[in-house]
Amino acid sequence: MIRSDVVGSLLRPPELKAARERAERGEITPAVLKQIEDRAVDEAVRLQEEAGLDVVSDGELRRYAFFGHLIDALDGFDKFGGWAIPFHNEEGERLVFKRPVVVEKLRWRRSMCGEELVYLRARATRPAKVTLISSQQAAAYYDPEKSAGAYPTRDAYLADIVDLTRREVEELVRLGCGYIQVDAPQYAALLDPELREGYRKRGSDPDRLIDACIEMDNAVIGRHSGVTFALHICRGNNQSMFYASGGYEPIARVFTRSRFQRFLLEYDDERSGGFEPLRAMPEDRAVVLGLVTTKKPRIETVDELQARITEAARIVPLERLALSPQCGFASTMEGNRISAEAQRAKLHRVAETARAVWG
């Protein structure tokens, strides 16, 4: 079993950020940008393998955001024309992040992650993972006014999203991918008491939305023997800020009703609540404890991580637990407010602690 895991994104090197900006201005060709991306991915693989992690990602370095694979692979989106979501931190700082919006009927242009997988697998000596976003996360890219010309309803749009994402899963399985992670931060909006109340005021039942999320996730991942499907749930991650707080109790039925075999859960601070909701976890599922924060530079100690793992093991047996950072280090191009050295130290600490706990 994979004991030391990584969620996906890594800090973009300065040269990669600069190259992407130059490419968007037309100052370098896509081929030149690709060469710079390749070098950055090579370094990301080396970073994770030297840390001793059991699985590696490509750092999502070819994406402008964690959902970029969807937007860049399908025709039909206005990249920055959607509604803005507010993020904040404990100090009261705020930022607004512009989302995409669907404006034309979606058309498949290329595989979302095929290139990422094939290149990563050729460079890595550890198992490789690929990340996708959940269909319900993509629901945020529908606007009743801007999208109506393409899709009369959000449900019609989501039907295409499910079909296209399921097609991508089938392509990844055909290419031999053994570990597919679905990122689903929208569940956090359905566990946060204030955000749940906001849904109710707008006429939506948050519990019915949870059931819809589970149904779409199950439709996307289908049934593929020999492939591990994981669900990652966090409470927002943008330049060290978040958008939701609360324990997992309100969404605990995702553990029992979805077909994911592995759950990567955010548990790095008091916003995440306790381990009690894990009592709902079926006996054939694994829990990856996101105890190492990617939002703050302090490096957690092995002792404190071991203590929290021991606490969780009172609810889920130790043999079904693993360890990871709580989220990616750079869900967006800007990245979280920590240094590359802190990122390196945290990845090493994940692997070091996993060896100390599980051997």
Side-chain angles (χ1 to χ4, degrees):
M1 178 176 170
I2 292 170
R3 299 296 185 185
S4 54
D5 210 329
V6 63
V7 169
S9 63
L10 297 172
L11 295 172
R12 272 65 164 181
E15 59 270 27
L16 178 57
K17 288 184 181 181
R20 183 173 284 276
E21 291 172 358
R22 292 185 65 199
E24 290 175 353
R25 294 194 298 266
E27 296 173 4
I28 60 173
T29 66
V32 171
L33 174 62
K34 194 71 67 180
Q35 292 173 348
I36 296 169
E37 288 177 344
D38 289 349
R39 291 197 295 270
V41 172
D42 292 347
E43 181 55 38
V45 172
R46 186 158 48 248
L47 169 69
Q48 294 168 90
E49 294 198 339
E50 287 178 354
L53 296 170
D54 292 335
V55 64
V56 299
S57 77
D58 76 340
E60 299 178 1
L61 299 182
R62 303 186 192 279
R63 308 181 187 182
Y64 76 95
F66 76 99
F67 52 79
H69 61 289
L70 183 81
I71 309 306
D72 289 339
L74 303 178
D75 289 323
F77 288 105
D78 178 347
K79 199 168 182 178
F80 300 108
W83 63 282
I85 183 170
F87 285 80
H88 56 279
N89 61 18
E90 294 89 344
E91 286 73 45
E93 289 183 273
R94 295 183 177 273
L95 67 82
V96 172
F97 183 69
K98 292 288 286 184
R99 284 173 157 172
V101 62
V102 62
V103 292
E104 298 177 4
K105 192 161 179 65
L106 295 177
R107 297 177 303 280
W108 179 277
R109 185 163 70 246
R110 60 170 173 79
S111 169
M112 302 175 196
C113 310
E115 177 191 13
E116 293 178 355
L117 170 65
V118 171
Y119 189 91
L120 172 62
R121 192 170 53 193
R123 299 305 190 276
T125 63
R126 308 285 173 97
K129 80 185 309 183
V130 169
T131 60
L132 298 165
I133 67 163
S134 67
S135 297
Q136 184 62 27
Q137 180 66 22
Y141 313 149
Y142 181 90
D143 181 278
E145 294 182 3
K146 296 180 179 179
S147 307
Y151 294 96
T153 65
R154 180 178 274 104
D155 286 346
Y157 157 70
L158 286 175
D160 271 4
I161 287 288
V162 168
D163 287 344
L164 291 164
T165 309
R166 183 166 52 203
R167 174 178 172 180
E168 178 66 19
V169 166
E170 291 170 353
E171 173 68 4
L172 292 172
V173 173
R174 186 187 69 79
L175 290 170
C177 185
Y179 188 173
I180 298 174
Q181 173 183 303
V182 174
D183 292 321
Q186 87 281 349
Y187 281 113
L190 299 170
L191 60 78
D192 184 295
E194 290 187 18
L195 297 177
R196 284 173 65 88
E197 184 58 29
Y199 276 112
R200 292 190 187 95
K201 288 179 179 177
R202 294 191 297 272
S204 296
D205 180 346
D207 291 316
R208 291 185 65 183
L209 282 172
I210 293 169
D211 293 337
C213 292
I214 294 169
E215 183 179 353
M216 285 190 289
D217 287 338
N218 283 342
V220 163
I221 67 176
R223 297 186 183 276
H224 298 279
S225 62
V227 181
T228 296
F229 286 94
L231 184 70
H232 167 59
I233 303 174
C234 79
R235 294 160 181 78
N237 188 53
N238 190 347
Q239 299 174 61
S240 292
M241 300 188 192
F242 55 86
Y243 70 80
S245 300
Y248 288 105
E249 290 93 341
I251 64 166
R253 64 183 177 278
V254 72
F255 303 148
T256 58
R257 296 187 188 175
S258 74
R259 292 204 296 269
F260 292 99
Q261 303 106 314
R262 192 170 172 89
F263 294 88
L264 291 94
L265 303 177
E266 181 180 65
Y267 271 118
D268 63 320
D269 61 21
E270 63 280 355
R271 288 186 305 108
S272 307
F275 296 125
E276 291 76 15
L278 299 181
R279 295 188 189 281
M281 192 67 65
E283 294 182 358
D284 60 346
R285 314 293 168 91
V287 177
V288 186
L289 300 170
L291 299 174
V292 174
T293 188
T294 65
K295 291 179 169 64
K296 297 178 180 179
R298 177 185 171 271
I299 311 302
E300 294 82 352
T301 69
V302 173
D303 286 348
E304 68 186 76
L305 294 174
Q306 282 186 298
R308 295 212 65 202
I309 292 169
T310 299
E311 183 185 350
R314 298 191 185 103
I315 296 173
V316 177
L318 188 62
E319 62 268 21
R320 286 169 42 214
L321 296 176
L323 179 65
S324 75
Q326 47 83 214
C327 198
F329 289 88
S331 297
T332 61
M333 183 63 59
E334 294 81 5
N336 282 349
R337 295 174 180 178
I338 69 170
S339 67
E341 177 55 31
Q343 173 182 256
R344 186 199 68 80
K346 285 173 178 286
L347 293 176
H348 277 261
R349 186 51 43 86
V350 167
E352 178 187 8
T353 305
R355 288 193 299 270
V357 173
W358 291 282

